[in-house]
Amino acid sequence: VLGRSFLLRQFYVERTFSERVRLVVGRDFFPRGLNSDDHTGFLRSLSRQGVTDYPSQIRGEYTTDSLEVLSGFFGPSGEENAAAREWGGFVRSEWKLLDLVSAGVNSSYGKSKTIGRFSTDLFARGALNENVGLLAALQWTHRSVSSGSSFPQTVTFLEPFYQPLESLTLRYRFET
């Protein structure tokens, strides 16, 4: 939007159909695992114009007291280089196991001119209270590149966090 002078980072319209069902269309976060800046996000950002981006998407959401399911399709934001403009789909589920513990799974498929990928994440959140906790994830991704080669990649991480104020979160990531 307006070239490099103004970047529309996040903009969406949502329609709520019931207390549990809504539809979201626009530019919003990519619902992957814990929604953290994981290694896949870093790799994809290398071919963009120096920005980390929110994709364009249409997403359906179903939420109960103990379950959240998001599914939809995504497309490029327009900020990517032409070769990195990716299209695909995703589904993400997270279950509340206890008051301060949840676990989930995410799968996504994406394809651009230069790379295709299929990813599956398993993730968990646990906390002692609302201020101290731990995030953990295991992500498996299979990539294929335009030259015809393909390779798998596995990333795991643990991320303890401390939130002394509502607007401040301190965390450290251990990643392999």
Side-chain angles (χ1 to χ4, degrees):
V1 175
L2 301 178
R4 293 177 185 262
S5 302
F6 176 76
L7 298 177
L8 184 62
R9 304 301 298 150
Q10 187 173 20
F11 176 80
Y12 58 90
V13 177
E14 63 181 58
R15 168 86 162 104
T16 301
F17 293 97
S18 70
E19 186 178 297
R20 297 178 182 213
V21 178
R22 77 179 179 157
L23 180 68
V24 179
V25 177
R27 292 195 58 193
D28 199 3
F29 69 92
F30 184 62
R32 137 158 260 131
L34 290 162
N35 282 335
S36 59
D37 49 339
D38 59 38
H39 193 58
T40 300
F42 171 72
L43 287 177
R44 291 181 62 223
S45 73
L46 294 179
S47 61
R48 296 188 180 186
Q49 299 172 354
V51 294
T52 302
D53 195 26
Y54 289 47
S56 303
Q57 63 180 286
I58 180 168
R59 177 179 77 233
E61 300 181 357
Y62 175 76
T63 307
T64 69
D65 292 338
S66 61
L67 173 67
E68 178 184 63
V69 178
L70 309 174
S71 63
F73 300 96
F74 65 91
S77 67
E79 293 178 34
E80 306 93 337
N81 293 328
R85 293 189 177 142
E86 184 179 32
W87 297 84
F90 59 87
V91 62
R92 178 190 185 280
S93 298
E94 185 169 2
W95 297 270
K96 178 180 171 185
L97 304 174
L98 301 169
D99 280 342
L100 296 173
V101 177
S102 68
V105 63
N106 177 75
S107 289
S108 61
Y109 172 79
K111 181 89 174 130
S112 71
K113 287 182 181 179
T114 56
I115 195 166
R117 65 180 172 87
F118 174 76
S119 295
T120 299
D121 303 5
L122 301 174
F123 59 92
R125 306 171 196 261
L128 299 173
N129 54 49
E130 292 182 3
N131 303 93
V132 178
L134 178 71
L135 309 175
L138 167 66
Q139 177 187 81
W140 177 83
T141 302
H142 183 80
R143 299 181 193 286
S144 56
V145 292
S146 56
S147 65
S149 63
S150 64
F151 58 95
Q153 176 186 27
T154 303
V155 178
T156 59
F157 71 82
L158 291 174
E159 190 172 290
F161 67 87
Y162 171 58
Q163 189 171 16
L165 305 169
E166 186 175 327
S167 59
L168 175 66
T169 302
L170 304 173
R171 59 188 186 166
Y172 187 81
R173 176 175 297 183
F174 300 92
E175 182 176 309
T176 62

